[in-house]
Amino acid sequence: MALTRATGKHRRPSKTRRASAGAAGIAGLATVGVVGSIASPAFAASGGQSQSRVQQSPQVREALAAPISETLDQQAYDQALWAEQTRAETEAKEEAAKAKAEAKRKADEAKRKEAAEKAEKAREAKRKAERAAERAKLNQYVLPVEGSYVSTGYKQGGGMWSSGSHTGVDFHAGMNTPVQSVAAGEVVEAGNGGAYGNNIVIKHKDGTYTQYGHLNSIGVSVGQTVQAGQQIGLSGSTGNSSGPHLHFEARTGPEYGSDMDPIAYLRQHGVKI
């Protein structure tokens, strides 16, 4: 008697059908990259023999043991995790690069600021030195004839002076020896001074006056500003004079009769004589 195979929805799929389903599952996994490294093109070309080898692989058996949807979910999760880790690493590198660049910028800015401050301090020191030198020059006093000496002293008596005594001092000087202002000031008289011959009177910043007599020539004019050591004329023997020299007076006022000791005056202002 012939037997007929029972059919129905509860019938278990045949081995061939299960193999075909497994192959289809593997192909699907290969498509999304789960077993792409395992299911090579040789699998499709060699048919059942390749299928058998793939099924025997532990990786494939593990993939076939779980539903394909779970495998795909795991793969998606792994890919998302990898992407997040990559993004985090990239952001960390970018932040580190930014921090390094900012640190360098601040360091460079600090160096530039330090250099600028140093340069400004140097300029300010130079300006102060120049101002100090200018003040020193304005307050400087010198001899009226450089390298000279006193040949006739202050208040020395004799018939050569109308007052009966010398109202200044005489500095040794040959004809046309340069005569200089002893300090900065303004010329208030420049011309013939009677017994003084060609003479110059200068008012200084402290309110005192100096007078230079018997000049051979005058090199300044009234109202002119002069500096300490500036040449104002040449020595001579004009006026009431017995020979070339410079008559020098220090005064409290511009006129004759307001004289004071010229040597003490010069020493008071730092002139060594």
Side-chain angles (χ1 to χ4, degrees), residues 18-39:
R18 291 198 304 271
S20 297
I26 293 173
L29 294 177
T31 301
V32 295
V34 176
V35 293
S37 61
I38 302 171

Side-chain angles (χ1 to χ4, degrees), residues 124-190:
E124 181 61 24
K126 183 179 179 181
R127 288 193 291 267
K128 286 182 178 180
E130 290 173 349
R131 289 194 295 268
E134 186 63 24
R135 286 194 298 270
K137 186 176 180 180
L138 290 174
N139 297 324
Q140 181 184 15
Y141 278 71
V142 298
L143 285 173
V145 179
E146 187 175 359
S148 185
Y149 58 90
V150 175
S151 57
T152 304
Y154 180 58
K155 293 298 185 182
Q156 182 173 327
M160 293 187 61
W161 302 285
S162 59
S163 63
S165 65
H166 202 197
T167 55
V169 294
D170 291 341
F171 279 96
H172 174 79
M175 183 66 71
N176 293 326
T177 299
V179 174
Q180 56 192 15
S181 175
V182 297
E186 180 184 351
V187 178
V188 296
E189 182 179 342

Side-chain angles (χ1 to χ4, degrees), residues 9-252:
K9 61 180 181 179
H10 299 293
R11 181 181 178 186
R12 182 181 181 184
S14 66
K15 183 177 181 181
T16 302
R17 295 170 72 86
R18 291 198 304 271
S20 297
I26 293 173
L29 294 177
T31 301
V32 295
V34 176
V35 293
S37 61
I38 302 171
S40 64
F43 172 80
S46 59
Q49 184 179 357
S50 297
Q51 174 185 332
S52 176
R53 287 198 300 270
V54 170
Q55 289 177 339
Q56 293 174 0
S57 170
Q59 293 89 341
V60 175
R61 287 199 298 272
E62 181 181 353
L64 293 176
I68 293 178
S69 60
E70 292 182 6
T71 303
L72 294 177
D73 288 344
Q74 181 64 39
Q75 183 189 37
Y77 173 79
D78 291 342
Q79 289 177 341
L81 181 61
W82 176 83
E84 177 63 21
Q85 290 175 343
T86 301
R87 183 189 64 77
E89 291 175 358
T90 301
E91 289 180 353
K93 289 180 180 179
E94 291 176 351
E95 288 299 323
K98 288 180 182 179
K100 184 177 180 180
E102 180 64 14
K104 185 178 184 302
R105 185 193 68 78
K106 289 183 178 180
D108 292 342
E109 181 63 24
K111 287 181 180 179
R112 285 192 295 269
K113 185 177 180 181
E114 182 181 0
E117 290 176 350
K118 187 175 181 180
E120 180 58 28
K121 287 181 179 179
R123 287 192 294 269
E124 181 61 24
K126 183 179 179 181
R127 288 193 291 267
K128 286 182 178 180
E130 290 173 349
R131 289 194 295 268
E134 186 63 24
R135 286 194 298 270
K137 186 176 180 180
L138 290 174
N139 297 324
Q140 181 184 15
Y141 278 71
V142 298
L143 285 173
V145 179
E146 187 175 359
S148 185
Y149 58 90
V150 175
S151 57
T152 304
Y154 180 58
K155 293 298 185 182
Q156 182 173 327
M160 293 187 61
W161 302 285
S162 59
S163 63
S165 65
H166 202 197
T167 55
V169 294
D170 291 341
F171 279 96
H172 174 79
M175 183 66 71
N176 293 326
T177 299
V179 174
Q180 56 192 15
S181 175
V182 297
E186 180 184 351
V187 178
V188 296
E189 182 179 342
N192 187 280
Y196 290 111
N198 294 325
N199 88 126
I200 297 171
V201 177
I202 298 175
K203 180 181 180 180
H204 302 289
K205 295 183 180 299
D206 62 355
T208 60
Y209 295 79
T210 54
Q211 188 251 6
Y212 311 78
H214 307 308
L215 299 175
N216 189 46
S217 63
I218 295 173
V220 293
S221 57
V222 173
Q224 181 177 340
T225 299
V226 296
Q227 302 298 324
Q230 179 177 333
Q231 183 175 322
I232 57 176
L234 297 175
S235 64
S237 187
T238 58
N240 186 14
S241 172
S242 60
H245 69 282
L246 172 69
H247 175 82
F248 174 76
E249 289 188 16
R251 299 174 175 177
T252 58

